[in-house]
Amino acid sequence: KILPDGKSEKIADFPGRDAYPMFSRHDGKLYFVSDRGQEIANNIWRMDLDGSNPEQMTFEKEDIHFPRISCDGSLITFECLNEICTYDVATGKVARPKIYVTEDYSEEPFSFQNFASDASEFALSPTEKEIAFVVHGDIFIMQLKDGMPEKIVQLTKTPYVEKDINWHPEEEMLVYVSMEDGDMDIFTIEPQKEKKFYDDLVFTTQKVFNTENTEYKTRFSPNGKLIAYLKNHGELYVMDADGGQ
């Protein structure tokens, strides 16, 4: 759009995602985030102001988030895999600077918190006697008796995000995805010693599918022998529940 009153003109027609447009005074190019590359992940691209000559500038395997360009257009900062990164417009190099913060606690650095809300998702068991839910990226199980809450057990306690929980239709087992190794992979969890989650304190976790791509929205098939999931731009895949074909 030509300011202040000029007409708007569409300069990109990619059917996927184009976002975060940033003009660089350094080279007069328009930088933006797009998933049009072979990595099928959001990377930094640039093109001329009329939309011509698009060119991929970064080649991250996971999505780039929250890019911001400096006032002089020479440096772009962004987040990728929980790291703060920079892209140098002049050299085309990506750096991951080390950030040091001096601790200066004005109070106790640790605190205990009780969470009675803010669950990001939940899943009712097939028997309707348990409910699984996610709070702050960790998975919990609540026993239900006559529809009322009873015991609550925490299944995961990691610094990684766990989500997309789904019950096995016949067994005491959940399937979910976790960012344990830097990208979302598929895991299962089940009680190690007891028959029910809420009676156990130790749980068996198994990674059933490990790729460099991002998998999400995991679901067991009605007979529990297959796991369906989405990958990349929402393509639907199905695999054996043990991670096989």
Side-chain angles (χ1 to χ4, degrees):
K1 180 179 178 63
I2 300 176
L3 299 176
D5 300 319
K7 67 176 183 178
S8 298
E9 180 181 356
K10 185 178 181 180
I11 60 174
D13 57 2
F14 173 62
R17 186 179 190 229
D18 291 330
Y20 295 104
M22 300 168 286
F23 174 72
S24 173
R25 297 181 181 179
H26 182 80
D27 59 6
K29 300 283 188 177
L30 184 66
Y31 288 79
F32 60 101
V33 169
S34 179
D35 57 1
R36 60 178 73 186
Q38 293 183 352
E39 296 81 9
I40 318 181
N42 289 319
N43 272 285
I44 294 177
W45 287 64
R46 75 177 180 187
M47 61 183 173
D48 295 337
L49 297 184
D50 60 1
S52 61
N53 301 317
E55 181 181 5
Q56 186 171 352
M57 309 311 295
T58 65
F59 299 87
E60 302 293 335
K61 294 181 180 180
E62 290 294 324
D63 288 338
I64 282 176
H65 300 283
F66 316 120
R68 295 291 186 271
I69 196 166
S70 61
C71 291
D72 62 0
S74 64
L75 194 70
I76 297 174
T77 61
F78 59 90
E79 178 187 326
C80 185
L81 288 177
N82 295 324
E83 290 185 295
I84 296 177
C85 309
T86 62
Y87 171 79
D88 191 309
V89 171
T91 65
K93 293 183 178 180
V94 174
R96 288 169 166 77
K98 293 183 179 180
I99 299 175
Y100 299 94
V101 178
T102 302
E103 294 180 341
D104 184 17
Y105 294 116
S106 60
E107 56 186 24
E108 287 294 327
F110 303 104
S111 63
F112 292 95
Q113 297 182 2
N114 293 322
F115 295 104
S117 60
D118 297 329
S120 56
E121 62 179 283
F122 68 91
L124 187 64
S125 69
T127 62
E128 298 186 359
K129 294 182 179 180
E130 297 169 274
I131 187 168
F133 58 95
V134 177
V135 176
H136 286 257
D138 285 318
I139 302 173
F140 295 78
I141 290 288
M142 177 189 293
Q143 179 188 12
L144 298 176
K145 188 174 182 179
D146 297 327
M148 300 301 293
E150 292 284 333
K151 289 192 294 184
I152 298 178
V153 178
Q154 184 171 356
L155 303 190
T156 64
K157 190 176 182 181
T158 73
Y160 316 108
V161 174
E162 284 105 23
K163 65 176 186 175
D164 295 343
I165 51 177
N166 184 249
W167 287 89
H168 191 285
E170 299 176 355
E171 301 176 15
E172 187 79 351
M173 177 187 292
L174 289 171
V175 64
Y176 64 97
V177 297
S178 173
M179 193 178 276
E180 180 176 319
D181 59 357
D183 64 292
M184 286 294 185
D185 287 320
I186 300 175
F187 292 75
T188 59
I189 188 169
E190 56 187 326
Q192 190 174 105
K193 297 181 180 180
E194 305 294 338
K195 293 183 178 180
K196 293 295 184 181
F197 280 117
Y198 53 76
D199 287 330
D200 213 336
L201 296 175
V202 184
F203 309 98
T204 301
T205 302
Q206 179 181 358
K207 180 187 287 189
V208 297
F209 198 51
N210 182 23
T211 71
E212 294 183 353
N213 296 310
T214 292
E215 294 85 31
Y216 57 101
K217 298 294 184 184
T218 46
R219 295 292 184 272
F220 275 115
S221 63
N223 61 8
K225 295 181 179 180
L226 301 172
I227 295 176
Y229 62 95
L230 299 181
K231 185 167 71 172
N232 300 329
H233 292 303
E235 299 98 331
L236 177 62
Y237 288 78
V238 177
M239 69 174 181
D240 294 337
D242 61 359
Q245 184 176 0

